Amino acid sequence: MAARKLDLDKVRAALDSQLTELGEPAYDGPDAAAPAAAVEVVLRVYDKGLRPERDVARFAVRHLLERLAEKAPGRTVEVRVPPYAAVQCVAGPRHTRGTPPNVVEIDPLTWLELATGRLSWDDAMDAGRISASGTRADLSEHLPVR
């Protein structure tokens, strides 16, 4: 799956909407840093026990999935974070049809925690927060992505 580049205007609008919902001032940083700021805001929302707005959560998840695909290029493993996004990554044999043999499925909060280093792969696996199938589905050597 080819990664689509994030529309920074849409990221910024979603980020500002979430910040408004939190009673915080609008984002005033550079557009290029808006996706990383979205990650931080979404994690803060989760830390407060709240559910983030759909658009800002989608952009945060996609941003970190794109970083994973850049860090571990390839098409051997499909990483799914429903309902927001999926990427293929990790070098090795690639599949061409049907369900890939190496699939990782993670909820958005777990993905954000893994990708930012708040949670280790082993701890998430032990807690049953990751569904991983296939011999190459262990992403621990590629995490965190930033």
Side-chain angles (χ1 to χ4, degrees), residues 9-25 35 37-62 82-84 108-109 112:
D9 290 334
K10 290 181 180 180
V11 173
R12 192 174 190 122
L15 176 57
D16 285 343
S17 177
Q18 183 68 73
L19 288 167
T20 298
E21 184 70 25
L22 292 171
E24 297 180 20
V39 170
E40 297 307 318
V41 169
V42 169
L43 285 169
R44 280 203 329 264
V45 169
Y46 279 124
D47 287 346
K48 292 180 179 195
L50 303 173
R51 174 180 235 137
E53 292 184 7
R54 181 177 177 85
D55 285 343
V56 73
R58 178 171 46 92
F59 289 129
V61 165
R62 282 188 52 207
Y84 300 123
L109 174 57
L112 294 173

Side-chain angles (χ1 to χ4, degrees), residues 112-127:
L112 294 173
E113 290 177 331
L114 286 166
T116 59
R118 283 183 160 199
L119 178 66
S120 75
W121 179 266
D122 290 339
D123 288 344
M125 286 296 290
D126 290 346

Side-chain angles (χ1 to χ4, degrees), residues 58-132:
R58 178 171 46 92
F59 289 129
V61 165
R62 282 188 52 207
H63 170 66
L64 292 176
L65 284 172
E66 287 176 6
R67 297 295 76 77
L68 174 65
E70 290 169 0
K71 185 175 182 179
R75 298 181 59 95
T76 299
V77 179
E78 184 167 293
V79 180
R80 301 173 180 167
V81 184
Y84 300 123
V87 296
Q88 291 181 354
C89 57
V90 181
R94 71 179 253 190
H95 71 282
T96 56
R97 294 178 24 165
T99 301
N102 301 287
V103 176
V104 175
E105 191 161 317
I106 311 169
D107 66 88
L109 174 57
T110 301
W111 168 243
L112 294 173
E113 290 177 331
L114 286 166
T116 59
R118 283 183 160 199
L119 178 66
S120 75
W121 179 266
D122 290 339
D123 288 344
M125 286 296 290
D126 290 346
R129 295 177 64 184
I130 299 172
S131 171

